[in-house]
């Protein structure tokens, strides 16, 4: 287990400014302030840091897209809306080392020429917002953040904003919309946030962990960062591991660390001594791996990509061999149906449709073509939506069905029933224009508890 | 309708940016906190306060899970049903809690103390099955006596 | 930067920077299906119906929000299997929760969803969803006197939401909830206060928002269409008159980026109703005695000449600024030719200040005359006005009056104006009034001649910006009503013993040759302008209207 980002996180007193300062907090910010902003960008670029929120886009490049014109206000938005199922690393970082997060925000803002920064936190993290706000008050009282940060002449105002419960606010344009007081409907790109972002001004949105890494990099240099990890996957990664493991939690690992070693070591192995059935390595939005596929992999962007999945947010969800994969998939599909913002057609209708078909399969009312239908619906969502939620919703459906097909096929009706259904399907549809069926039956199913569970 | 503190908080959010709409998210949160709902009356109030149309306020209010159209109980007990919690027996916990409180998800106890909710992943998966009482994480639920949850 | 060359379905076009792919395609006349895109609203890219394949792009992109780049090669569903699959997929999604009740839906025939479904390149697939599985939403919600909402039929394109936020600013419609439960609502079902609410039904591509005024009046495929210009005020919004069997069934805006974009106010939209809300003047009439036209023309001539010859007082000629340029032109020429001594006045009607509250920054103007600017260009308005004439009449200095009067189509004539008109007619012994309706304040006229109203004659208006536009004839003349130009032509002939050309096209040619403000304009050019210059991008249907930019 690596000790780069989290080396101070175990000390409960790290939340207090004096302790944090003794551990080197804000040295990176100080270093940054001594350089022109473009050199800060260059340093981050040189470190090879890639966004830790899920997409893995190079951070230095993202920062370099900001070219503010006269009279424009540049914004740095820190994405602390951590909502990807199975992901709680930012939760950990903010709770344990809030000054590291604030320092990262300050550095990011300075690098892109922003004097305004928001930390947008999911509404469920209200208690963490208090921790972070207390840290911010201390840093402001010590003149580290505020007007004339550390006597450098650089002004920065950081505001913490809480959301109110919507996964889509973690999507960068959804976050911007939410912060503007709109329904968090993602925006079509172009224009990109770097050109027209928050309040139409140039904006960068960075994940909490990404900015925390930037703080370390500025304090200790790009080279020290690259000492960790592999060539294209520099640095360490916070892995939130949960599900059927003995020791769920947040662990910092070197990128390139063997997956099985992590699972058996840090994570303590499969709960109850059972066997491993599957792993989702980076939040529910990435394809699942079978135990076999997972065995040779290492925890880094390239290795995961070679296996057809992604490191994503580092939210690792582990399935024991007693899991019903169709049941688990239904739970995931219901999540996407519930969280689809409803703005664009394929995601709005497709996520609900997939959950609906899975629900009827598990209720014993499946139809012969249902697996094909699920895959086809997924194909019609993927690549055709405004934001990534649509694609994300397809990954679990497609990978679960492909990799655990026998479990799904077992839910299908016997062939005899198939013939009966088909004749129904093509037969006369009386009542097609009759009065509406019972009100909102599907609404209950989506909003209420999973029927099979309660 | 709102306390001075609440109004001050909304005013502070409003002062952040030129656009009064920016303060809407804060206004909804603060109103939910004090009134335990953002129904038509609250919507009209916020609309007047920020100079927005009520329809617009309603559209945003009805986007978020934590803003409720009808009053919640004194406390909101949120049981996580995210995939990680599901793998750790969240369904069984939810059934047990529901039975204990005598209500179904979405309902409020007769004494008005608790509203029970099933929510999507709350980002506390290492304490699965995760749960929240209002803004506090209280998981793993299996480890605390379920009884205790309702005595808080 | 200069323009960009691009290829769409193998056809080349050059466009200026900043144009989107869908706009370029519209100009080429290549159909790209769409719901959310509207040329006068900010693109949102939410319906995903306009996905096209672009060479070099890994996946289909939305044509509405993709700016053209020089050298771009675009393939639409007509030529690209990738784009066609995407469009089919999106259409299938839109039908998942859409009711299958086109036969009882009033939008049928002008519904984009229905139209696209019938198209071989996007639709005609079998639905995989059973009707009983659909999510149900609210139906038949009355949102005031203009609009009915059927949330179940909504495709969530947000055109109406954007219109109400960005254009009218009333922001009375919004979506609530998320995912496939998203539903269009007005807060507490409040009556829409938006004076432009009618446009919400126009922008709706499906049957979610329909016009209460038009709902279930007539199936749209039975309608005939005539392009025209609203006569409700001096803005001159471009409209299409939809009529059936000699009756106007509705008026909808026609896009003109220079004048009204794609919009019209509700007053203007419904102004046609005032044409039939009071009785029309149907025959020439002297007191209660109906006359044949031959008698009427002779009597008019006699009336206007005899008295003048005796007294030597000037003829007062008064024309409403709601008359067409052609009528005003001929009116003035007739007066000048037939009456060496005359006073030419214009703009009967309400004074500006009495209606100022009805003016706004979008389209509605206080001046409720569609052709004030035309009248000014044609040399009217240098004299006394109605009040001045009344003063002369009171002093006994007027004995003859020729008046061409159209009551306002929006709102009521001001009481003061009515009194002045009635006063004038009471004091001037010899008066001939050409008008459209039986109006109590005109009964003092010696002779009343019935003229065609708006929608019954063609011609041109010049709006407050100075834009001259063609006004169409949609409705046949009934009873003994005639266009003002024909009547004036007859009077001319009696006065001069020479024939006078009265076809609007010929009159306009004379105007264009003689009046500087109209120089260079051609009547035929104005007539065809809307169809060629401004494709109706906002609405597109396969009916007889054809497709955008056809």
């Amino acid at each position: 287990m690596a000790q780069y980002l989290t080396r101070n996180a175990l000390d409960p007193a790290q939340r207090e400014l004096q302790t944090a300062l003794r551990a080197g907090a804000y040295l990176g910010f100080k270093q940054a302030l001594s350089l022109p902003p473009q050199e800060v960008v260059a340093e981050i670029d040189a470190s090879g840091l890639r966004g830790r929120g899920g997409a893995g886009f190079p951070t230095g490049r993202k920062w370099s897209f900001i070219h503010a014109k006269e009279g424009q206000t540049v914004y740095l938005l820190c994405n602390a809306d951590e909502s990807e199922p199975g992901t709680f690393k930012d939760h950990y970082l903010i709770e344990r080392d809030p000054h590291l997060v604030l320092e990262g925000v300050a550095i990011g803002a300075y690098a892109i020429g922003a004097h305004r920064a928001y930390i947008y936190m999911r509404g469920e993290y209200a208690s963490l917002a208090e921790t972070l706000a207390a840290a911010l008050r201390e840093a402001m009282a010590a003149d580290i953040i505020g007007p004339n940060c550390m006597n450098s002449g650089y002004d920065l105002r950081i505001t913490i904003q809480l959301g109110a419960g919507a996964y889509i606010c973690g999507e960068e344009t959804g976050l911007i919309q939410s912060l503007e007081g709109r329904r968090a409907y993602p925006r079509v790109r172009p224009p990109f946030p770097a050109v027209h972002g928050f309040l139409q001004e140039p904006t960068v949105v960075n994940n909490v962990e990404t900015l925390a890494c930037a703080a370390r990099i500025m304090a200790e240099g790009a080279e020290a960062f690259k000492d960790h990890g592999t060539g294209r996957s520099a640095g360490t990664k916070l892995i939130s591991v949960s599900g059927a493991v003995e020791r769920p939690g947040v662990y910092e690992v070197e990128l390139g660390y063997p997956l099985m070693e992590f699972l058996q070591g840090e994570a303590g192995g499969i709960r109850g001594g059972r066997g491993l059935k599957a792993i989702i390595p980076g939040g529910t939005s990435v394809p699942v791996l079978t135990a076999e596929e997972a065995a040779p992999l290492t925890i880094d962007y390239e290795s995961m990509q070679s296996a057809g999945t992604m490191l994503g947010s580092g939210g690792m969800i582990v399935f024991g061999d007693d899991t019903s994969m169709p049941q688990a998939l239904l739970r995931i599909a219901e999540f996407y149906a519930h969280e689809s913002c409803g703005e664009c057609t394929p995601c709005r209708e497709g996520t609900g449709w997939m959950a609906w078909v899975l629900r009827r399969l598990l209720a014993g009312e499946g139809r012969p073509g249902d697996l094909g239908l699920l895959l086809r619906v997924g194909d019609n969502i993927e690549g055709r939506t405004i934001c990534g939620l649509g694609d994300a919703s397809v990954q679990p459906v497609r990978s679960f069905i492909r990799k655990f097909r026998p479990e799904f096929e077992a839910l299908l009706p016997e062939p005899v029933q198939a013939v009966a259904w088909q004749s129904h399907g093509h037969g006369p549809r009386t009542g097609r224009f009759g009065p509406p069926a019972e009100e909102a039956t599907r609404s209950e199913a989506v909003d209420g508890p999973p029927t099979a569970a309660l | 309708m709102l306390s001075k503190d609440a109004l001050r908080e909304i005013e502070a959010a409003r002062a952040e940016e030129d656009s009064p709409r920016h303060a809407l998210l804060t206004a909804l949160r603060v109103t939910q906190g004090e009134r335990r709902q953002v129904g038509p009356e609250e919507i009209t109030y916020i609309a007047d306060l920020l100079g927005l149309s009520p329809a617009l306020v309603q559209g945003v209010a009805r986007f978020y899970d934590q803003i409720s159209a009808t009053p919640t109980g004194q406390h909101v007990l949120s049981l996580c049903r995210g995939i990680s919690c599901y793998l750790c027996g969240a369904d069984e916990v939810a059934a047990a809690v529901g039975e204990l409180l005598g209500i179904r998800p979405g309902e409020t106890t007769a004494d008005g103390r608790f509203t029970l909710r099933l929510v999507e992943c709350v980002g506390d998966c290492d304490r699965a099955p995760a749960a929240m009482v209002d803004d506090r994480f209280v998981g793993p639920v299996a480890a605390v006596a379920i009884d205790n949850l309702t005595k808080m | 930067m200069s323009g960009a060359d691009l290829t769409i379905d193998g056809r080349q076009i050059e466009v200026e920077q900043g144009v989107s792919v869908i706009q370029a395609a519209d100009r080429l006349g290549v159909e790209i299906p769409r719901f959310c895109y509207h040329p006068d609203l900010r693109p949102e890219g939410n319906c995903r119906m306009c996905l096209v394949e672009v060479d070099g792009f890994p996946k289909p992109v939305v044509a509405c929000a993709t700016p053209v780049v020089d050298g771009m090669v675009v393939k639409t569903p007509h030529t690209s299997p990738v784009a066609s699959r995407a469009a089919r997929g999106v259409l299938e999604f839109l039908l998942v929760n859409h009711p299958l009740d086109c036969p009882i839906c009033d939008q049928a025939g002008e519904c984009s969803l229905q139209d696209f479904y019938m198209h071989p390149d996007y639709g005609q697939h079998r639905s995989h969803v059973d009707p009983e599985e659909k999510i149900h939403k609210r139906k038949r919600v009355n949102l005031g006197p203009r609009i009915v909402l059927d949330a179940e039929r909504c495709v969530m394109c947000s055109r109406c939401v954007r219109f109400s936020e960005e254009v009218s600013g009333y922001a009375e419609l919004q979506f609530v909830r998320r995912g496939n439960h998203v539903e269009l609502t007005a807060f507490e079902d409040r009556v829409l206060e938006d004076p432009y609410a009618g446009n919400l039904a126009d922008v709706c591509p499906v049957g979610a928002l329909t016009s209460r005024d038009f709902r279930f009046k007539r199936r749209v495929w039975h309608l005939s269409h005539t392009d025209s210009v609203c006569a409700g005020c001096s803005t001159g919004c471009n409209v299409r008159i939809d009529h059936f069997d000699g009756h106007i069934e509705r008026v909808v805006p026609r896009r003109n980026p220079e004048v009204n974009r794609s919009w019209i106010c509700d007053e203007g939209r419904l102004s046609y109703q005032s044409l039939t809300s009071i009785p029309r003047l149907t025959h020439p009439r002297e007191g209660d005695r109906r006359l044949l036209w031959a008698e009427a023309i002779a009597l008019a001539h006699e009336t206007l000449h005899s008295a003048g010859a005796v007294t030597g007082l000037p003829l007062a000629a008064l024309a409403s600024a709601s008359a067409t340029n052609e009528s005003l032109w001929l009116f003035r020429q007739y007066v000048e030719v037939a009456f060496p001594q005359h006073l030419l006045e214009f703009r009967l009607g309400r004074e500006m200040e009495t209606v100022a509250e009805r003016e706004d920054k979008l389209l509605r103007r206080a001046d409720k005359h569609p052709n004030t600017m035309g009248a000014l260009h044609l040399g009217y308005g240098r004299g006394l006005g109605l009040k001045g004439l009344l003063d002369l009449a009171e002093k006994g200095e007027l004995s003859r009056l020729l008046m061409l009067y159209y009551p306002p189509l929006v709102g009521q004539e001001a009481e003061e104006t009515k009194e002045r008109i009635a006063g004038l007619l009471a004091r001037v012994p010899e008066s001939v009034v050409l008008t459209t309706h039986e109006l109590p304040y005109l009964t003092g006229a010696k002779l009343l001649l019935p003229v065609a109203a708006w929608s019954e004659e063609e011609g041109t208006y010049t709006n407050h910006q100075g834009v001259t536009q063609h006004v169409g004839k949609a409705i046949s003349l009934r009873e003994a009503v005639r266009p003002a130009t024909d009547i004036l032509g007859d009077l001319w002939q009696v006065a001069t013993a020479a024939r006078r050309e009265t076809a609007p096209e010929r009159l306009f040619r004379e105007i264009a040759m003689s009046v500087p403000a109209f120089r260079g304009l051609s009547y035929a050019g104005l007539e065809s302008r809307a169809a060629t210059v401004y494709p109706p991008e906002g609405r597109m249907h396969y009916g007889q209207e054809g497709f955008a930019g056809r």
Side-chain angles (χ1 to χ4, degrees):
Chain A
M1 184 168 160
Q3 284 283 313
Y4 179 73
L5 217 48
T6 57
R7 71 168 76 109
N8 303 316
L10 288 178
D11 180 359
Q14 180 68 13
R15 293 180 202 176
E16 286 150 29
L17 182 63
Q18 290 314 316
T19 315
L21 286 175
R22 278 197 296 279
Y26 298 108
L27 286 179
F29 185 35
K30 194 166 189 179
Q31 169 66 15
L33 289 172
S34 71
L35 301 170
Q38 55 273 28
E39 283 184 33
V40 177
V41 176
E43 185 73 9
I44 297 301
D45 202 35
S47 75
L49 173 62
R50 293 164 69 170
R52 299 301 199 225
F57 192 83
T59 307
R61 273 189 63 201
K62 197 178 207 174
W63 289 1
S64 70
F65 293 150
I66 295 289
H67 297 288
K69 295 189 195 89
E70 192 66 29
Q72 287 188 312
T73 306
V74 180
Y75 288 93
L76 179 84
L77 308 181
C78 172
N79 186 346
D81 192 66
E82 186 169 59
S83 311
E84 179 70 20
T87 310
F88 44 101
K89 64 190 180 64
D90 298 338
H91 181 158
Y92 179 90
L93 263 186
I94 295 165
E95 192 172 61
R96 305 299 183 97
D97 201 351
H99 287 290
L100 184 68
V101 175
L102 292 172
E103 182 179 2
V105 171
I107 289 169
Y110 177 75
I112 61 169
H115 299 280
R116 294 286 289 115
Y118 282 90
I119 301 172
Y120 184 100
M121 302 179 74
R122 61 181 303 185
E124 292 80 358
Y125 284 2
S127 59
L128 305 177
E130 284 173 27
T131 306
L132 195 60
L136 179 58
R137 279 194 297 273
E138 275 198 290
M140 287 174 72
D143 290 328
I144 294 168
I145 290 166
N148 192 15
C149 300
M150 298 196 271
N151 274 320
S152 64
Y154 170 67
D155 304 332
L156 174 63
R157 186 169 158 72
I158 298 178
T159 308
I160 297 165
Q161 174 72 53
L162 276 165
Y167 171 70
I168 199 65
C169 297
E171 198 277 342
E172 65 176 1
T173 58
L175 188 155
I176 289 169
Q177 293 270 97
S178 176
L179 200 58
E180 286 186 5
R182 299 170 192 278
R183 289 168 66 81
Y185 278 181
R187 294 180 185 167
V188 65
R189 280 151 285 210
F192 289 88
V195 182
H196 293 292
F198 179 52
L199 301 174
Q200 298 301 312
E201 303 283 355
T203 302
V204 164
V205 184
N206 281 136
N207 171 256
V208 169
E209 185 187 349
T210 311
L211 290 170
C213 284
R216 278 279 186 275
I217 292 165
M218 289 319 294
E220 297 167 14
E223 287 310 311
F225 182 74
K226 284 161 81 176
D227 285 346
H228 297 278
T230 65
R232 283 202 56 222
S233 295
T236 63
K237 177 81 191 87
L238 297 184
I239 301 294
S240 347
V241 61
S242 64
V245 290
E246 284 291 345
R247 285 199 297 271
V250 176
Y251 300 93
E252 183 174 14
V253 301
E254 299 279 345
L255 284 170
Y257 191 65
L259 179 55
M260 284 305 125
E261 214 168 297
F262 172 75
L263 193 63
Q264 296 306 328
E266 281 82 356
I270 308 304
R271 195 175 51 209
R274 302 198 73 102
L276 172 69
K277 186 167 193 175
I279 298 183
I280 296 179
T284 50
S285 302
V286 307
V288 68
L289 296 166
T290 62
E292 237 175 29
E293 288 173 317
L297 300 183
T298 51
I299 302 175
D300 55 76
Y301 298 104
E302 287 74 33
S303 179
M304 292 298 168
Q305 207 181 339
S306 72
T309 187
M310 292 191 296
L311 187 54
S313 65
M316 193 176 286
I317 303 157
V318 180
F319 300 80
D321 59 11
D322 55 342
T323 311
S324 157
M325 294 308 269
Q327 284 282 3
L329 179 60
L330 171 61
R331 189 71 278 290
I332 294 172
E334 281 179 331
F335 166 79
Y336 287 105
H338 180 77
E339 295 298 344
S340 168
C341 73
E343 182 187 21
C344 73
T345 309
C347 175
R348 176 182 68 239
E349 303 295 343
T351 52
W353 197 359
M354 290 194 299
W356 178 240
V357 174
L358 279 165
R359 206 173 295 123
R360 83 174 168 218
L361 268 174
L362 284 157
E365 293 159 13
R367 299 168 189 181
D370 274 354
L371 297 187
L373 175 61
L374 282 168
L375 294 172
R376 196 173 60 79
V377 170
D379 288 345
N380 279 337
I381 298 172
E382 193 176 34
R384 296 176 189 168
T385 52
I386 292 180
C387 81
L389 191 147
D391 285 7
S393 73
V394 177
Q395 305 314 318
V397 172
R398 186 184 288 155
S399 61
F400 272 58
I401 292 176
R402 277 200 191 142
K403 297 179 184 185
F404 301 94
R405 193 159 183 120
E407 281 188 64
F408 287 90
E409 280 172 347
L411 299 170
L412 293 173
E414 298 298 315
V416 180
Q417 289 168 288
V419 173
W421 174 76
Q422 274 184 1
S423 70
H424 164 74
H426 292 288
R429 288 184 165 181
T430 51
R432 183 167 170 178
F433 304 118
E438 214 175 312
E439 280 286 300
T441 44
R442 290 178 65 182
S443 138
E444 275 175 29
V446 170
D447 290 333
T451 40
L454 274 187
Chain B
M1 176 176 281
L2 296 178
S3 70
K4 277 199 175 117
D5 281 351
L7 289 172
R8 208 173 296 129
E9 200 175 326
I10 295 169
E11 197 40 55
R14 191 183 176 145
E16 294 281 351
E17 303 294 343
D18 283 340
S19 158
R21 198 167 173 164
H22 163 68
L24 181 51
L25 182 53
T26 300
L28 292 173
R29 280 194 59 88
V30 166
T31 308
Q32 175 72 36
E34 281 202 352
R35 307 270 302 172
R36 287 195 251 137
Q37 67 170 322
V38 180
E41 216 182 306
E42 288 80 10
I43 285 170
T44 310
Y45 179 83
I46 295 171
D48 283 350
L49 192 66
L50 298 179
L52 303 170
S53 84
L56 196 149
V57 173
Q58 182 189 36
V60 179
R62 296 288 87 87
F63 187 81
Y64 295 105
D65 289 340
Q66 294 188 322
I67 308 298
S68 54
T70 52
T72 66
Q74 275 171 276
H75 299 286
V76 177
L77 172 55
S78 306
L79 301 179
C80 182
R81 58 169 184 158
I83 180 66
S84 300
C85 292
Y86 163 81
L87 293 171
C88 297
D91 288 351
E92 291 73 23
V93 167
V97 173
E99 202 172 310
L100 187 83
L101 295 175
I103 52 174
R104 293 191 308 177
E107 294 178 348
T108 302
T109 53
D111 62 3
R113 288 198 65 215
F114 280 96
T115 295
L116 180 63
R117 276 189 186 157
L118 292 187
V119 297
E120 294 297 347
C121 182
V122 296
D124 201 33
C125 321
D126 51 343
R127 286 174 280 201
M132 300 182 77
V133 173
D134 301 326
D135 288 339
R136 270 184 317 126
F137 291 102
V138 296
V141 191
V144 303
I146 287 170
D147 260 3
N148 285 347
L149 270 183
T150 58
K151 284 179 187 138
M152 282 183 293
Chain C
M1 276 217 274
S2 62
D5 276 309
L6 74 157
T7 308
I8 303 175
D9 286 350
R11 296 170 61 189
Q12 288 205 316
I13 185 174
E14 186 182 354
V15 296
E16 62 276 18
Q17 292 286 330
V19 166
S20 64
V21 171
I22 208 167
Q23 287 168 331
D26 282 351
R27 288 185 200 176
L28 264 179
V30 173
E31 178 188 88
I32 296 178
R34 82 290 300 267
F35 293 97
C36 69
Y37 170 74
H38 187 286
D40 293 310
L41 297 171
R42 178 178 46 80
E44 198 165 273
N46 62 45
C47 76
R48 317 306 283 177
M49 195 64 208
C50 70
L51 286 167
V52 292
E53 191 184 1
V54 177
D55 281 7
F57 284 56
K59 53 186 189 182
V61 298
V62 282
C64 67
T66 303
V68 298
V69 174
D70 197 39
M72 204 176 227
V73 178
V74 178
K75 297 191 193 91
T76 75
H78 307 299
T79 59
S80 155
V82 170
S84 179
R85 261 199 308 278
R88 260 179 233 283
V90 170
L91 204 58
E92 185 182 20
F93 282 135
L94 283 172
L95 292 167
V96 169
N97 284 305
H98 194 91
L100 299 173
D101 59 356
C102 301
I104 57 157
C105 176
D106 203 42
Q107 189 78 8
E110 54 179 358
C111 171
S112 297
L113 194 57
Q114 191 183 41
D115 291 344
F116 296 151
Y117 184 73
M118 299 313 287
H119 196 291
D121 292 339
Y122 337 123
Q124 300 187 345
H125 39 61
R126 198 169 69 84
S127 174
H128 291 262
V129 182
D130 293 343
E132 65 267 24
E133 291 174 356
K134 292 178 185 291
I135 292 175
H136 295 293
K137 296 177 184 171
R138 303 181 66 213
K139 295 180 86 69
R140 293 177 296 279
V141 184
N142 270 338
L143 299 178
R146 303 275 165 272
I147 297 291
V148 180
L149 163 68
D150 184 322
E152 222 166 68
R153 291 181 178 144
C154 174
V155 293
M156 274 64 79
C157 73
S158 84
R159 278 186 186 175
C160 58
V161 174
R162 284 175 284 154
F163 175 85
S164 74
E165 267 187 49
E166 298 167 18
V167 181
S168 75
Y170 279 72
E172 293 170 294
L173 289 172
Q174 269 291 340
F175 292 121
V176 294
R177 297 196 285 282
R178 291 198 313 242
N180 55 13
H181 295 279
V182 163
E183 184 168 340
L184 184 68
T185 60
F187 180 63
E188 304 258 88
D189 295 343
R190 281 185 189 172
V191 168
L192 300 176
E193 288 174 10
D194 192 342
Y196 292 86
N199 295 288
L200 298 167
D202 297 336
V203 297
C204 182
V206 293
L209 296 172
T210 47
S211 156
R212 271 185 83 181
D213 171 51
F214 178 67
R215 221 168 122 86
F216 303 120
K217 256 163 90 173
R218 195 70 63 187
R219 280 300 197 183
V220 292
W221 50 84
H222 292 140
L223 296 172
S224 302
H225 310 291
T226 303
D227 286 353
S228 191
V229 168
C230 178
C233 82
S234 59
T235 301
C237 293
N238 293 205
V239 298
R240 191 186 74 205
I241 302 171
D242 287 355
H243 47 102
F244 176 80
D245 197 20
H247 293 280
I248 298 180
E249 300 287 9
R250 67 174 177 186
V251 168
V252 292
R254 203 156 42 87
R255 182 163 194 256
N256 184 337
E258 288 171 29
V259 175
N260 56 305
R261 289 180 282 162
S262 298
W263 325 124
I264 190 172
C265 71
D266 290 351
E267 292 168 331
R269 178 189 303 271
L270 299 180
S271 64
Y272 74 92
Q273 293 175 344
S274 65
L275 293 174
T276 49
S277 61
I278 41 172
R280 289 292 297 273
L281 179 64
T282 54
H283 292 81
R285 186 153 72 67
E286 181 192 24
D288 287 337
R289 193 168 70 93
R290 277 190 178 184
L291 304 174
L292 295 173
W293 270 109
E295 299 173 281
I297 295 294
L299 180 59
H301 180 79
E302 203 176 293
T303 303
L304 296 174
H305 281 84
S306 56
V310 175
T311 63
L313 295 175
L315 172 103
L318 191 55
S320 166
S322 297
T324 62
N325 284 317
E326 294 69 24
S327 296
L328 291 171
W329 170 252
L330 195 50
F331 186 85
R332 180 184 146 189
Q333 290 217 321
Y334 166 66
V335 168
E336 285 174 350
V337 165
F339 308 98
Q341 269 194 293
H342 60 261
L343 297 163
L344 185 67
E345 296 299 326
F346 91 120
R347 200 181 196 167
L348 287 176
R350 303 189 309 183
E351 305 300 316
M352 287 222 187
E353 54 272 26
T354 64
V355 287
E357 75 274 11
R358 283 178 189 264
E359 178 154 317
D360 62 33
K361 289 194 175 70
L362 188 49
L363 296 173
R364 297 188 299 173
R365 294 184 60 80
D367 179 3
K368 299 302 176 198
H369 300 91
N371 200 26
T372 301
M373 194 62 85
L376 288 169
H377 288 331
L378 292 169
Y380 286 76
R382 298 199 183 93
L384 309 159
L386 182 56
K387 176 77 167 57
L389 290 181
L390 184 57
D391 292 345
L392 285 180
E394 280 170 350
K395 282 185 257 171
E397 289 173 23
L398 285 183
S399 63
R400 298 168 295 162
L401 173 69
L402 173 63
M403 186 160 98
L404 173 59
Y405 175 73
Y406 298 86
L409 292 184
V410 164
Q412 297 294 315
E413 187 63 277
E415 285 306 318
E416 194 183 34
T417 308
K418 289 184 195 171
E419 282 164 21
R420 283 177 183 168
I421 292 173
L424 193 59
L425 292 173
R427 284 170 182 79
V428 179
E430 308 290 341
S431 57
V432 175
V433 175
L434 286 70
T435 191
T436 54
H437 288 78
E438 293 280 5
L439 297 164
Y441 49 95
L442 298 179
T443 48
K446 178 173 180 189
L447 179 61
L448 284 165
L449 302 177
V451 298
W454 178 80
S455 78
E456 296 166 359
E457 62 173 347
E458 59 174 301
T460 63
Y461 294 150
T462 303
N463 81 350
H464 74 101
Q465 300 161 290
V467 177
T468 299
Q469 309 188 97
H470 180 258
V471 186
K473 176 182 173 178
I475 304 298
S476 311
L477 295 169
R478 252 164 281 196
E479 314 268 358
V481 174
R482 298 174 71 199
T485 44
D486 284 8
I487 302 167
L488 292 165
D490 283 1
L491 290 171
W492 173 292
Q493 200 171 336
V494 177
T496 64
R499 273 184 57 85
R500 183 70 167 83
E501 187 58 62
T502 60
E505 192 167 356
R506 299 293 289 270
L507 291 170
F508 189 81
R509 191 187 297 163
E510 292 174 21
I511 297 170
M513 284 191 297
S514 325
V515 183
F518 296 89
R519 197 154 291 156
L521 295 178
S522 87
Y523 192 80
L526 296 178
E527 228 179 337
S528 60
R529 194 172 181 197
T532 54
V533 181
Y534 311 117
E537 288 168 282
R539 293 183 80 85
M540 36 170 255
H541 307 294
Y542 291 93
Q544 60 200 99
E545 278 302 278
F547 169 67
R550 95 200 95 128

